[in-house]
Amino acid sequence: MNSQPSKKEMLYEGKAKKIYLTDNPEEVIVYFKDDATAFNAQKRGQVEKKGEMNNAITTLIFNYLKEKGIQTHFIKQLNEREQLVQKVSIIPLEFVVRNYSAGSMAQRLGVEEGIKSPVTIFDICYKKDELGDPLINDHHAVFLGAATYDELKKMYQLTAEINEVLKELFDKMNIILVDFKIELGKTSDGTIVLADEISPDTCRLWDKDTLKKLDKDRFRRDLGEVSEAYVEIYERLKKVLN
Ligand code: TMP
Ligand code: ASP
């Protein structure tokens, strides 16, 4: 059956997306907004077409990851702004992968941005807006009850696999995957799957030749051509996946 799910009441509203219940208790609809925030929502704005672009980009990337054997919450794109996904309970951790120095790590360590790391760097942050999503370690995550050591091991493994697939994909787009953040969720049977989104909101993406930033740093740092960067990523992605 290929019937359209019916959209029920809103379950949750985040900074960039809204989640709606459907008539199926196992599935929810994600609506992508144009709203952009940075620095724990101290900076707010709108980026024209961002919702449409992030919906389309996440759809292409999650489908590609699925082809590569990565389990995700994604079911299908419904329209320009919405996608249908499996309802999962989001693990309250952000998994950050860094292939090059940038952003908060460059600042924390007092190093310049753009240094290629000889190893893949993994950070975890505790998803807690009131605290500004602080950087934590595995022991803190276990202390908080966010995950067990065994689950953390599986989650780092999954995160590393996703990094390998994405690095290669962005490389074909002539883009350096500097760093990114993912969120993982647990399905009703306890399986850990990739959830949320992968888009220029959640990745640092630099053009390989010019090093031009094609991601949300254009908004965070007032660099201009924000919407254009999201469209550029979508266009390059479409080209390599066709
Ligand atoms: P950071 O350098 O600010 O810690 O960011 C690392 C990566 O995580 C970068 O690609 C942007 C992404 N990110 C999010 O997706 N959400 C966030 O709230 C933050 C702070 C970063
Ligand atoms: N989304 C985050 C916020 O508004 C920050 C970011 O992406 O830089 O807090």
Side-chain angles (χ1 to χ4, degrees):
M1 286 286 282
N2 223 354
S3 61
Q4 285 293 94
S6 69
K7 192 159 135 189
K8 305 276 185 198
E9 66 264 33
M10 190 169 76
L11 177 64
Y12 172 79
E13 178 160 11
K15 285 176 277 199
K17 298 185 290 295
K18 295 183 200 174
I19 310 291
Y20 293 91
L21 294 171
T22 67
D23 42 10
N24 182 340
E26 298 280 338
E27 298 175 353
V28 292
I29 291 173
V30 182
Y31 176 95
F32 288 75
K33 303 191 279 186
D34 284 345
D35 300 358
T37 64
F39 316 117
N40 204 22
Q42 288 174 59
K43 180 184 172 97
R44 289 174 183 273
Q46 291 260 314
V47 176
E48 204 193 327
K49 284 178 87 112
K50 180 171 85 77
E52 282 171 46
M53 290 300 107
N54 283 356
N55 184 27
I57 292 165
T58 296
T59 294
L60 289 174
I61 292 180
F62 277 36
N63 273 330
Y64 184 71
L65 287 166
K66 206 181 259 184
E67 278 172 32
K68 299 285 172 183
I70 307 281
Q71 283 185 288
T72 82
H73 74 159
F74 184 82
I75 299 171
K76 63 177 176 181
Q77 183 171 6
L78 296 172
N79 54 54
E80 283 187 338
R81 293 266 170 188
E82 295 174 321
Q83 51 184 245
L84 184 69
V85 305
Q86 247 182 300
K87 189 165 186 284
V88 297
S89 66
I90 295 286
I91 290 153
L93 300 173
E94 294 190 335
F95 286 82
V96 175
V97 179
R98 301 178 190 273
N99 298 308
Y100 288 72
S101 61
S104 70
M105 188 190 86
Q107 227 171 21
R108 193 178 324 111
L109 302 184
V111 298
E112 61 187 76
E113 296 198 300
I115 303 166
K116 187 174 183 173
S117 174
V119 294
T120 309
I121 299 168
F122 299 88
D123 282 340
I124 52 172
C125 297
Y126 180 35
K127 266 172 70 75
K128 192 95 181 158
D129 281 338
E130 311 88 280
L131 301 175
D133 299 342
L135 179 70
I136 61 168
N137 65 31
D138 290 12
H139 311 291
H140 298 143
V142 173
F143 167 78
L144 290 165
T148 63
Y149 284 111
D150 196 45
E151 284 172 337
L152 283 169
K153 198 171 151 195
K154 280 190 204 140
M155 295 192 280
Y156 282 120
Q157 177 66 34
L158 181 59
T159 305
E161 281 171 30
I162 292 168
N163 184 42
E164 291 312 310
V165 175
L166 292 185
K167 264 199 298 190
E168 206 186 313
L169 175 63
F170 283 112
D171 188 67
K172 285 189 210 150
M173 294 160 60
N174 205 40
I175 281 171
I176 300 170
L177 176 60
V178 173
D179 58 27
F180 65 95
K181 182 266 303 183
I182 55 169
E183 297 188 19
L184 303 175
K186 250 188 216 175
T187 62
S188 52
D189 70 3
T191 311
I192 292 165
V193 299
L194 174 65
D196 193 51
E197 68 178 291
I198 295 181
S199 72
D201 268 11
T202 63
C203 303
R204 284 198 173 90
L205 306 168
W206 296 359
D207 180 85
K208 243 199 269 179
D209 298 325
T210 64
L211 299 183
K212 182 174 178 178
K213 295 176 177 35
L214 295 170
D215 57 63
K216 195 175 158 188
D217 271 348
R218 303 206 71 80
F219 168 78
R220 295 189 189 98
R221 304 178 187 190
D222 295 320
L223 300 176
E225 298 180 324
V226 186
S227 186
E228 289 83 349
Y230 287 74
V231 173
E232 176 75 29
I233 293 298
Y234 177 53
E235 294 298 333
R236 290 199 202 183
L237 200 48
K238 264 196 308 189
K239 209 181 272 175
V240 301
L241 292 177
N242 275 337

